[in-house]
Amino acid sequence: MTELAAVKTALKTQAVETPSWAYGNSGTRFKVFAQPGVPRNPREKLDDAAQVHAFTGAAPTVALHIPWDKVDDYGALAKYAQERGLKLGAINSNTFQDDDYRLGSICHPDAAVRRKAVDHLLECVEIMDATGSKDLKLWFADGTNYPGQDDIRERQDRLAEGLAQVYERLGDDQRMLLEYKFFEPAFYMTDVPDWGTAYAHCLKLGPKAQVVVDTGHHAPGTNIEFIVATLLREGKLGAFDFNSRFYADDDLMVGAADPFQLFRIMYEVIRGGGFTPDVAFMLDQCHNIEAKIPAIIRSVMNVQEATAKALLVDGAALADAQRTGDVLAANAVIMDAYNTDVRPLLGEVREELGLDADPVSAYRRSGWAEKIAAERVGGQQAGWGA
């Protein structure tokens, strides 16, 4: 197999999970802008997700968020997804929108509130059992705003205790994915602020606990690819939440702010053996002002482009330059791959899969946007409220 054929083969195996909440209305602290045709329930979200997969061929799973995607029969929802060529992916918990969680959830000083939070996480595992999902994704808004507000060490003890209860409930083929975020909504101290804290808890829990890297959850200047390389080396990288940031947790389209960073991350994924189903590539984005479905299609394409460039890095030439200490030659190998226009290559890959070479244009011609705008009239649109 030629090198180019091998790259094509690898690209055909790539899968990017889309988030159910990205299809609903979202916004800032100030305003949510509603759009015509936005889904009103989880099934309509899956209908839209099926369009993304149909035009990209690379988005076969959809992450759910509980209770945003709560239904009476999760088995029926999984069947509905299957009928549309999809599977239900990670189950995301929500321990940040109840009044009880003002001082935290799993780290709250009140045992009754901690019990409520853990019960919700256990409910999410039950939903995994019903949907066939293997990943429980956890992000905690827990933290404090003022020095002395609560005991930092005790909050870590509470966190460890709660995680352990949920970990014990996981099935043999299920895993816990722990996300971190260095600030917001807590501003003095966040209980899971960085990859080291998440790694420490996952290491203690065991092999079914792994770390999630959200590309928007780092301080400016953080070398995310170093974190990726280290977690892969330790066997503890479970998933990505792909998005893009200019200032904080902006949740913009992946690759929008720094496509070179996305390329560097994907190179470390490939270099470290992480280009496998064991590392989930998920989107975690909010499309506040742009049309949602074409934005998600574009995001999947951005991940594909970064991956294609990373696969084109000449590993032998790079290793030789590194061994001889040729700094400029080593950097040139990386830059040559990044500067390659891979759009024609990806167009060929899509055509070989029976897809249109240009997914965004194909979607616009499909008439789906006009169809849902006309049909989804009345009822309550999914999202944060408007």
Side-chain angles (χ1 to χ4, degrees), residues 202-236:
C202 288
L203 188 64
K204 186 173 183 179
L205 287 166
K208 292 186 290 186
Q210 294 184 299
V211 179
V212 178
V213 174
D214 185 309
T215 52
H217 283 191
H218 302 83
T222 299
N223 189 319
I224 299 175
E225 55 267 35
F226 171 81
I227 298 170
V228 170
T230 302
L231 289 173
L232 278 171
R233 184 173 178 271
E234 297 298 322
K236 280 295 184 182

Side-chain angles (χ1 to χ4, degrees), residues 97 133 147 158 234 239 254 266 275 289 319-320 328 364:
Q97 283 193 312
S133 302
R158 299 167 199 158
E234 297 298 322
V254 60
M266 290 309 305
F275 194 61
I289 57 175
D320 184 64
L328 293 178
R364 294 192 186 282

Side-chain angles (χ1 to χ4, degrees), residues 21 24-35 38-39 45 68 97 288 292 379-386:
W21 54 96
N25 287 324
S26 59
T28 68
R29 292 185 295 116
F30 307 105
K31 173 65 178 173
V32 172
F33 296 98
Q35 297 183 16
V38 164
K45 292 178 183 179
W68 298 345
Q97 283 193 312
N288 301 338
K292 300 174 191 305
Q380 179 66 45
Q381 290 185 326
W384 300 353

Side-chain angles (χ1 to χ4, degrees), residues 73-112:
D73 189 337
Y74 290 99
L77 187 65
K79 183 179 179 181
Y80 188 86
Q82 185 178 19
E83 291 169 350
R84 280 143 190 80
L86 302 169
K87 290 184 179 180
L88 298 181
I91 303 300
N92 292 254
S93 60
N94 183 322
T95 56
F96 52 85
Q97 283 193 312
D98 287 1
D99 286 344
D100 285 342
Y101 299 143
R102 182 170 59 90
L103 299 179
S105 62
I106 197 171
C107 301
H108 197 286
D110 187 332

Side-chain angles (χ1 to χ4, degrees), residues 215 222 224-225 243 258-266 338:
T215 52
T222 299
I224 299 175
E225 55 267 35
N243 52 60
D258 191 350
F260 185 43
Q261 180 191 66
L262 180 60
F263 158 77
R264 300 193 310 265
I265 289 170
M266 290 309 305
Y338 177 69

Side-chain angles (χ1 to χ4, degrees), residues 1 96 100 105 177 180 186 204 208 278-279 287 328 354 362-363 366 371:
M1 183 181 294
F96 52 85
D100 285 342
S105 62
L177 302 177
Y180 59 90
K204 186 173 183 179
K208 292 186 290 186
D278 292 332
V279 177
H287 304 290
L328 293 178
Y363 169 75
S366 73
K371 171 182 167 63

Side-chain angles (χ1 to χ4, degrees), residues 50-340:
Q51 295 297 307
V52 174
H53 184 45
F55 290 105
T56 64
T61 60
V62 181
L64 300 184
H65 207 297
I66 308 301
W68 298 345
D69 295 314
K70 197 162 188 172
V71 295
D72 293 331
D73 189 337
Y74 290 99
L77 187 65
K79 183 179 179 181
Y80 188 86
Q82 185 178 19
E83 291 169 350
R84 280 143 190 80
L86 302 169
K87 290 184 179 180
L88 298 181
I91 303 300
N92 292 254
S93 60
N94 183 322
T95 56
F96 52 85
Q97 283 193 312
D98 287 1
D99 286 344
D100 285 342
Y101 299 143
R102 182 170 59 90
L103 299 179
S105 62
I106 197 171
C107 301
H108 197 286
D110 187 332
V113 176
R114 297 200 299 273
R115 181 71 260 166
K116 174 180 176 177
V118 170
D119 285 346
H120 168 67
L121 302 183
L122 295 173
E123 175 195 11
C124 288
V125 180
E126 293 177 2
I127 293 170
M128 293 167 64
D129 294 339
T131 59
S133 302
K134 74 171 186 174
D135 291 339
L136 171 67
K137 190 141 72 69
L138 307 177
W139 172 72
F140 298 108
D142 294 36
T144 63
N145 279 353
Y146 297 98
Q149 178 181 324
D150 200 358
D151 188 289
I152 294 175
R153 184 185 178 101
E154 284 189 10
R155 291 181 71 91
Q156 288 296 306
D157 291 340
R158 299 167 199 158
L159 175 63
E161 180 182 359
L163 290 176
Q165 293 178 57
V166 180
Y167 185 89
E168 289 302 315
R169 171 62 181 80
L170 295 173
D172 293 339
D173 61 343
Q174 295 173 338
R175 60 181 184 169
M176 171 189 295
L177 302 177
L178 182 58
E179 190 174 346
Y180 59 90
K181 184 178 183 181
F182 83 109
F183 90 106
E184 192 191 41
F187 295 105
Y188 170 65
M189 182 276 299
T190 303
D191 289 300
V192 190
D194 51 40
W195 71 273
T197 305
Y199 171 77
H201 281 282
C202 288
L203 188 64
K204 186 173 183 179
L205 287 166
K208 292 186 290 186
Q210 294 184 299
V211 179
V212 178
V213 174
D214 185 309
T215 52
H217 283 191
H218 302 83
T222 299
N223 189 319
I224 299 175
E225 55 267 35
F226 171 81
I227 298 170
V228 170
T230 302
L231 289 173
L232 278 171
R233 184 173 178 271
E234 297 298 322
K236 280 295 184 182
L237 179 63
F240 286 96
D241 271 358
F242 281 132
N243 52 60
S244 200
R245 64 179 292 277
F246 288 101
Y247 297 103
D249 185 22
D250 303 339
D251 274 348
L252 299 173
M253 289 169 50
V254 60
D258 191 350
F260 185 43
Q261 180 191 66
L262 180 60
F263 158 77
R264 300 193 310 265
I265 289 170
M266 290 309 305
Y267 171 72
E268 291 301 334
V269 169
I270 293 165
R271 168 69 181 85
F275 194 61
T276 73
D278 292 332
V279 177
F281 300 138
M282 308 176 188
L283 301 180
D284 182 12
Q285 304 175 175
C286 294
H287 304 290
N288 301 338
I289 57 175
E290 66 270 28
K292 300 174 191 305
I293 298 174
I296 297 171
I297 291 174
R298 180 67 256 182
S299 298
V300 173
M301 294 171 65
N302 288 349
V303 175
Q304 290 178 308
E305 289 176 16
T307 304
K309 292 181 178 186
L311 287 165
L312 290 175
V313 172
D314 188 335
L318 181 60
D320 184 64
Q322 291 170 341
R323 278 193 302 269
T324 59
D326 193 333
V327 176
L328 293 178
N331 180 249
V333 171
I334 293 292
M335 295 310 299
D336 284 346
Y338 177 69
N339 288 324
T340 302

